[in-house]
């Protein structure tokens, strides 16, 4: 009986186990933000970042536990909505809430130095490079939807879990590599990030149309078509925000008084 | 914005005015194509099953590029305006050239050579193809006239575009 629960990913206990880390992350963030804001030398942590963090965790949580996640097991459209929440919207909101900056200003100086050394190290610079982040993100999706992995994730709890974790982490990594909100030691120019962003969006929309023609195993044609359109247009909506933020950062950085006559 | 001769700041940014217009034109046509022909009229298919792989890739790239271009071009306009360098005529020249060029590319390369999809799934497709491509050429001609006109203004100002990137 309990293995049945795990297979379907529904039921009270598995949901509770899945939701627990989110509740802990929520509590930790709020505690860190309030504690660090009380120190006199630091500015108080902005309210919009609390909101972004809470809504971001809510989006990610809704994608892997609860009614939407349960429907996602046999309804491809629900799966795609969950994918948009977990792989795109939640990462965007969580990047906007600048968790690394918060972490560094909360922990003791020595720990903060160790963390920033880690962020500057070469393995992190390779993984957080816009191109590798994009490959991890879109490449993972291509593997998921064009191989038997999609079917496997619904038959095995742990495969499903691994897919969800990868989807979220790759989405976060990619968003952080394109728009610089948080601490970013390895930086790339606007044009460079714009090109990577465009190629990634292209990869996402090509995959959506490919799924429309050839849905993953076990998905009926009409469900596949609807899910593919949700992926295509839903992706567009979230991408608008990414593009606006990237362009706005260019607009701010190219301010005439700072760099008059210099063009990107 | 301009009187007899072009103001010097606008002249210095003539290339950025033109490129911003071209990017906006591409984005505008792609957006109208999506709204009018896909969503409202349902003339185009979301994905035609006979689409070739290269057609699918080209479509995806252009979709992503036009999405970016629309937003980026408007930020460029905002940037030109805060520098008091926005040159409306040259910008419109760019818009028409960009819009026409994209529509012609879509009509000849993507619809015909790559067989992405057709304009409409009817008997006498030729009429649709002709209207589509001729209107594209007309836009390019209008744009070209505007660009040439502003270039003459630029030369008569004596700048000759030496500040251009």
């Amino acid at each position: 009986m309990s293995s049945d629960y795990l297979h379907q990913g529904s039921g009270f206990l598995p949901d509770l186990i899945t939701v627990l880390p989110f509740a802990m992350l929520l509590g930790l963030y709020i505690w860190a933000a309030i504690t660090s804001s009380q120190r006199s030398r630091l500015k108080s942590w902005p309210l919009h970042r609390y909101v972004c963090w809470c809504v971001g965790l809510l989006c990610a949580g809704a994608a892997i536990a609860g009614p939407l996640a349960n429907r996602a097991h046999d309804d491809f459209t629900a799966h795609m909505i969950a994918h948009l929440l977990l792989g795109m919207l939640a990462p965007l909101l969580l990047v906007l809430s600048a968790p690394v900056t918060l972490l560094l200003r909360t922990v003791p100086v020595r720990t903060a130095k160790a963390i920033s050394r880690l962020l500057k190290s070469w393995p992190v610079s390779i993984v957080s490079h816009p191109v590798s982040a994009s490959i991890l993100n879109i490449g993972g999706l291509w593997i998921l939807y064009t191989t038997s992995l999609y079917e496997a994730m619904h038959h095995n709890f742990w495969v499903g879990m691994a897919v969800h974790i990868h989807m979220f982490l790759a989405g976060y990594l990619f968003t952080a590599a394109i728009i610089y909100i948080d601490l970013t030691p390895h930086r790339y120019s606007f044009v460079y990030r714009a090109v990577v962003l465009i190629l990634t969006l292209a990869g996402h929309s090509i995959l959506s149309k490919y799924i429309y023609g050839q849905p993953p195993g076990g998905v009926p044609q009409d469900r596949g078509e609807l899910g593919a359109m949700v992926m295509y247009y839903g992706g567009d909506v979230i991408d608008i925000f990414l593009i606006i933020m990237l362009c706005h950062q260019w607009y701010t950085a190219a301010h005439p008084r700072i760099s008059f006559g210099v063009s990107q | 914005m301009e009187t007899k001769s072009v103001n010097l700041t606008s002249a210095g940014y003539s290339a950025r005015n033109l490129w911003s217009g071209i990017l906006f034109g591409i984005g505008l046509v792609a957006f109208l194509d999506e709204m009018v022909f896909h969503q409202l009229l349902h003339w185009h298919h979301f994905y035609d099953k006979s689409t070739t792989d290269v057609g699918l890739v080209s479509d995806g790239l252009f979709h992503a590029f036009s999405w970016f271009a629309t937003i980026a071009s408007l930020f460029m306009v905002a940037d030109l305006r805060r520098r008091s360098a926005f040159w409306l005529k040259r910008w419109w020249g760019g818009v028409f050239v960009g819009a026409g060029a994209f529509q012609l590319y879509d009509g000849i390369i993507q619809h015909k050579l790559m067989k992405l999809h057709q304009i409409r799934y009817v008997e006498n497709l030729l009429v649709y193809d002709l209207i589509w491509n001729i209107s594209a050429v007309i836009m390019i001609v209008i744009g070209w006239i505007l660009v040439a006109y502003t270039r003459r203004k630029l030369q008569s100002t004596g700048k000759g575009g030496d500040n251009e990137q």
Side-chain angles (χ1 to χ4, degrees):
Chain A
M1 205 50 197
S2 70
S3 80
D4 236 27
Y5 273 147
L6 284 180
H7 274 252
Q8 288 169 5
S10 61
F12 182 69
L13 195 63
D15 272 3
L16 189 71
I17 293 169
T18 326
V19 167
L20 208 60
F22 289 98
M24 281 168 63
L25 283 171
L26 185 70
L28 265 177
Y29 186 94
I30 292 172
W31 171 80
I34 291 174
T35 316
S36 64
S37 297
Q38 280 165 349
R39 291 180 201 151
S40 53
R41 63 190 166 83
L42 294 174
K43 273 190 251 173
S44 74
W45 195 245
L47 183 68
H48 75 266
R49 287 190 172 158
Y50 287 92
V51 176
C52 284
W53 183 260
C54 296
V55 181
L57 284 181
L58 206 66
C59 290
I64 59 171
L68 178 69
N70 292 337
R71 274 196 63 184
H73 284 273
D74 35 39
D75 182 350
F76 189 60
T77 309
H79 166 85
M80 269 308 167
I81 294 170
H83 152 69
L84 290 172
L85 289 176
L86 185 66
M88 295 181 84
L89 188 56
L92 176 62
L93 288 166
L94 296 181
V95 165
L96 288 178
S97 62
V100 181
T101 307
L102 178 63
L103 177 71
L104 289 178
R105 69 178 223 155
T106 309
V107 296
V109 177
R110 193 184 291 173
T111 321
K113 278 182 178 163
I115 293 171
S116 75
R117 259 201 307 279
L118 179 73
L119 289 174
K120 282 179 191 159
S121 67
W122 65 266
V124 173
S125 83
I126 289 173
V127 175
S128 66
H129 188 283
V131 173
S132 45
S134 165
I135 291 170
L136 282 169
N137 194 11
I138 294 298
L141 291 181
W142 273 92
I143 292 171
L144 175 61
Y145 295 121
T146 59
T147 66
S148 55
L149 185 60
Y150 179 77
E151 273 182 291
M153 79 174 274
H154 292 305
H155 291 119
N156 186 308
F157 176 79
W158 297 108
V159 173
M161 204 51 143
V163 167
H164 282 143
I165 291 172
H166 175 88
M167 196 183 265
F168 169 73
L169 287 181
Y172 185 91
L173 202 62
F174 177 72
T175 311
I178 296 297
I179 48 167
Y180 296 159
I181 303 286
D182 226 336
L183 190 83
T184 317
H186 313 278
R187 288 174 173 257
Y188 297 86
S189 72
F190 290 105
V191 175
Y192 193 92
R193 283 178 285 151
V195 171
V196 175
L197 179 57
I198 289 170
L199 292 176
T200 310
L201 302 190
H204 196 264
S205 54
I206 293 166
L207 179 60
S208 314
K209 291 201 174 178
Y210 180 86
I211 291 172
Y212 185 91
Q214 282 117 319
V219 177
Q221 187 67 36
D222 58 329
R223 292 300 183 89
E225 289 179 0
L226 190 61
M229 288 171 94
V230 167
M231 178 179 176
Y232 187 86
Y233 293 113
D236 275 359
V237 171
I238 297 168
D239 288 334
I240 288 178
F241 291 103
L242 272 179
I243 297 170
I244 289 176
M245 270 180 275
L246 181 63
C247 289
H248 185 257
Q249 288 182 344
W250 167 79
Y251 183 77
T252 314
H255 194 277
R257 251 170 273 174
I258 297 164
S259 56
F260 186 75
V262 176
S263 60
Q264 277 282 328
Chain B
M1 182 115 271
E2 47 180 332
T3 48
K4 273 277 159 62
S5 66
V6 188
N7 92 51
L8 287 181
T9 325
S10 296
Y13 286 99
S14 66
R16 196 182 284 192
N17 272 290
L18 183 64
W19 278 108
S20 156
I22 290 173
L23 290 176
F24 186 74
I26 292 172
L28 186 68
V29 161
F31 182 73
L32 288 178
D33 180 54
E34 177 71 43
M35 285 310 289
V36 177
F37 296 102
H38 282 271
Q39 306 290 358
L40 296 177
L41 296 174
H42 292 285
W43 279 9
H44 293 356
H45 287 176
F46 177 76
Y47 171 42
D48 191 331
K49 296 289 158 57
S50 65
T51 305
T52 58
D53 287 349
V54 64
L56 202 56
V57 171
S58 159
D59 182 50
L61 274 171
F62 259 89
H63 175 71
F65 179 73
S66 62
W67 223 200
F68 188 91
T70 317
I71 297 167
S73 63
L74 291 175
F75 272 96
M76 285 168 84
V77 169
D79 179 59
L80 290 165
R81 286 186 61 97
R82 73 177 168 189
R83 292 167 197 267
S84 312
F86 185 57
W87 188 356
L88 189 65
K89 261 193 193 127
R90 197 158 175 84
W91 188 78
W92 269 111
V95 172
F96 276 107
V97 169
F102 179 58
Q103 183 152 323
L104 196 62
Y105 169 83
D106 195 32
I108 305 275
I109 311 277
Q110 296 208 129
H111 289 171
K112 294 296 141 190
L113 289 178
M114 294 177 178
K115 301 205 187 306
L116 189 67
H117 55 63
Q118 299 307 328
I119 295 168
R120 196 176 183 182
Y121 294 81
V122 287
E123 291 283 310
N124 53 346
L125 187 61
L126 186 68
V127 182
Y128 289 92
D129 278 334
L130 282 176
I131 293 172
W132 187 273
N133 290 313
I134 289 172
S135 64
V137 172
I138 291 172
M139 283 198 280
I140 294 176
V141 171
I142 294 173
W144 196 255
I145 291 169
L146 282 170
V147 170
Y149 172 80
T150 50
R151 190 186 295 131
R152 264 204 305 283
K153 282 265 184 191
L154 204 62
Q155 279 156 357
S156 69
T157 314
K159 292 287 291 180
D162 27 315
N163 267 4
E164 288 187 43
Q165 308 90 311

